[in-house]
Amino acid sequence: MRVPLGWTAGADMCRQVNPLEAGNRVDTSRKQTVEIRSADGSADVYQLLAGITVACRYGLEMEDALALARRTYVDINIHLAANRDKVDVLEHLPDSCAASAERLQQQRAVYEQYGIFSPAMIDGIINRLQSYRDENLREEVTADPSKMTELITAYFHCG
């Protein structure tokens, strides 16, 4: 979940995306939307929604949320050239199943706190992620781009 940057430009977002909307009836000095970046269709929808719910609750209950927001530059556009130096200090998302398993292990207490995810379920998810053995996937695909075709054939199913 995130509040996208750039929607505080003093314009009514609804009017920008739908010109048939009547005049400016929104306080445009504040963020006007939130965004959820969902997993693909192969995700277990129940675990996905439970995880999103836990993450939202965690964010709302976090005591130092405003300090974290300042440290992660939510109030500036990191895509502007003047702010490029700030991007390197931001924590990046995991780039493999192995890295996702490691991050989940580090953060498992958040998901187990209210009994939404049991320790056994978290262990199962971690084990499944580790089973893909993709620790070096980025380097492998960069060195041999034909590996991407192999991955798509093996894991991307339509129909």
Side-chain angles (χ1 to χ4, degrees), residues 19 21 41 44-45 55 59 61-63 72 97 99 121 159:
E21 280 290 317
D44 178 311
V45 69
E61 292 178 346
M62 185 183 294
E63 288 186 27
T72 55
C97 292
M121 181 181 278

Side-chain angles (χ1 to χ4, degrees), residues 1-84:
M1 302 288 298
R2 73 182 194 111
V3 177
L5 298 172
W7 284 105
T8 58
D12 181 353
M13 181 179 89
C14 294
R15 182 122 170 92
Q16 284 186 354
V17 296
N18 185 0
L20 300 178
E21 280 290 317
N24 190 347
R25 56 179 207 267
V26 180
D27 176 4
T28 60
S29 67
R30 296 176 175 248
K31 303 285 186 195
Q32 299 175 47
T33 186
V34 294
E35 179 180 278
I36 179 173
R37 293 188 175 186
S38 293
D40 66 29
S42 67
D44 178 311
V45 69
Y46 301 105
Q47 289 180 357
L48 174 64
L49 292 174
I52 290 169
T53 303
V54 168
C56 289
R57 182 175 186 161
Y58 177 73
L60 291 171
E61 292 178 346
M62 185 183 294
E63 288 186 27
D64 65 340
L66 292 176
L68 175 63
R70 280 190 287 280
R71 286 193 313 273
T72 55
Y73 307 109
V74 298
D75 59 342
I76 66 166
N77 186 341
I78 61 169
H79 303 290
L80 296 177
N83 298 322
R84 286 217 175 104

Side-chain angles (χ1 to χ4, degrees), residues 54-137:
V54 168
C56 289
R57 182 175 186 161
Y58 177 73
L60 291 171
E61 292 178 346
M62 185 183 294
E63 288 186 27
D64 65 340
L66 292 176
L68 175 63
R70 280 190 287 280
R71 286 193 313 273
T72 55
Y73 307 109
V74 298
D75 59 342
I76 66 166
N77 186 341
I78 61 169
H79 303 290
L80 296 177
N83 298 322
R84 286 217 175 104
D85 61 322
K86 294 169 177 48
V87 176
D88 293 333
V89 300
L90 296 176
E91 190 173 347
H92 294 276
L93 293 173
D95 63 354
S96 66
C97 292
S100 294
E102 184 178 326
R103 182 75 56 88
L104 179 56
Q105 179 63 37
Q106 293 165 356
Q107 297 176 347
R108 68 183 299 150
V110 171
Y111 296 95
E112 294 172 353
Q113 181 178 1
Y114 293 105
I116 304 299
F117 290 92
S118 70
M121 181 181 278
I122 296 291
D123 289 339
I125 294 168
I126 289 170
N127 289 336
R128 187 177 69 234
L129 289 169
Q130 290 172 334
S131 74
Y132 291 106
R133 303 193 188 294
D134 64 351
E135 297 87 352
N136 302 312
L137 183 61

Side-chain angles (χ1 to χ4, degrees), residues 133-148:
R133 303 193 188 294
D134 64 351
E135 297 87 352
N136 302 312
L137 183 61
R138 184 179 300 272
E139 292 82 15
E140 291 172 19
V141 171
T142 301
D144 181 4
S146 69
K147 281 209 169 268
M148 184 62 71

